[in-house]
Amino acid sequence: MRIILLGPPGAGKGTQSKRLVERHGVVQLSTGDMLRAAVAAGTPIGLEAKDIMARGQLVPDAIVVAIVADRIEEADCARGFILDGFPRTVAQAEALDAMLREKKLALDVVIELKVDEAALLARVEKRIAESGGEARADDNAEALAKRLEVYRSQTAPLVEYYARTGQLVSIDGMQPIEAVAAEIDKVIKASAEA
Ligand code: AMP
């Protein structure tokens, strides 16, 4: 199973990915988590990414593409993976296509979680409140506004990109978590039978 979860910050990609990991035994590949780990470890990539991430901007394509290329070579990805937060630009999507083509692999489906922006703000505020002071550096009103703007300008074009390849399925991400999860399961089942 190879899936992309697409959607703006706070759409529920992380929550749904973790559930898929538990149910299907696949790996969650979150470039945000990988970059945060690099920042915490103080690696050269982490040092380069730290301020960019705190501002809510995108880390350069070459860096994230290289991280993903290395990660999908690892043995635990053989059973499949969920891409959460990657690709985020058309250039990243093209690099992913090339990577998969070279490995003679294909994506099963690209699932877009559609949500409205007012709800996103409320969700991220809730995440901050629940973090007990350990909020992500980019979970604040200013960075969130930037992340949404970046999503609209750089990532939303991927909806069109994957609609053209016929791989896109859009789901209403405003439903309760369990209802979204049930729809995702249905989409995955249908793609496996196709
Ligand atoms: P996320 O946890 O997916 O919301 O990502 C947090 C931050 O990490 C983003 O706002 C970006 O600064 C950076 N980031 C994560 N994934 C990517 C990506 N695919 N391309 C560029 N920057 C990324």
Side-chain angles (χ1 to χ4, degrees):
M1 181 202 295
R2 283 174 294 274
I3 296 171
I4 294 176
L5 283 186
L6 198 61
K13 301 185 299 292
T15 303
Q16 295 297 338
S17 297
K18 289 194 173 65
R19 191 180 157 281
L20 289 170
V21 167
E22 280 165 24
R23 281 181 64 111
H24 300 277
V26 288
V27 186
Q28 174 192 11
L29 302 185
S30 157
T31 42
D33 284 352
M34 294 180 219
L35 289 166
R36 277 185 289 279
V39 170
T43 65
I45 285 177
L47 292 178
E48 186 170 348
K50 187 170 187 231
D51 293 339
I52 300 175
M53 291 172 73
R55 285 197 298 270
Q57 292 169 332
L58 291 185
V59 172
D61 289 333
I63 292 183
V64 279
V65 166
I67 291 178
V68 172
D70 280 351
R71 184 65 186 87
I72 65 174
E73 289 294 334
E74 288 179 34
D76 61 347
C77 288
R79 290 195 53 197
F81 47 78
I82 300 150
L83 289 167
D84 160 12
F86 178 92
R88 254 177 160 96
T89 64
V90 169
Q92 290 179 19
E94 287 169 350
L96 176 66
D97 282 346
M99 231 184 271
L100 293 176
R101 218 173 15 247
E102 194 185 311
K103 295 165 86 51
K104 299 200 170 21
L105 296 174
L107 288 172
D108 295 296
V109 66
V110 178
I111 301 177
E112 180 202 8
L113 299 179
K114 286 176 94 80
V115 283
D116 72 58
E117 287 200 8
L120 293 178
L121 234 97
R123 281 187 187 182
V124 173
E125 275 166 7
K126 186 161 169 261
R127 186 156 82 191
I128 296 169
E130 287 171 354
S131 69
E134 303 270 317
R136 285 168 41 168
D138 58 355
D139 269 351
N140 56 68
E142 205 180 313
L144 179 64
K146 184 72 197 170
R147 283 156 68 201
L148 283 172
E149 181 197 317
V150 166
Y151 183 82
R152 268 185 247 115
S153 62
Q154 306 209 51
T155 309
L158 293 182
V159 170
E160 181 57 32
Y161 182 93
Y162 288 116
R164 266 203 305 273
T165 63
Q167 290 164 301
L168 185 80
V169 177
S170 298
I171 286 181
D172 174 8
M174 299 301 295
Q175 307 171 88
I177 290 175
E178 279 311 314
V180 175
E183 281 209 35
I184 290 178
D185 282 346
K186 240 194 283 175
V187 169
I188 290 173
K189 194 154 176 271
S191 76
E193 286 163 1

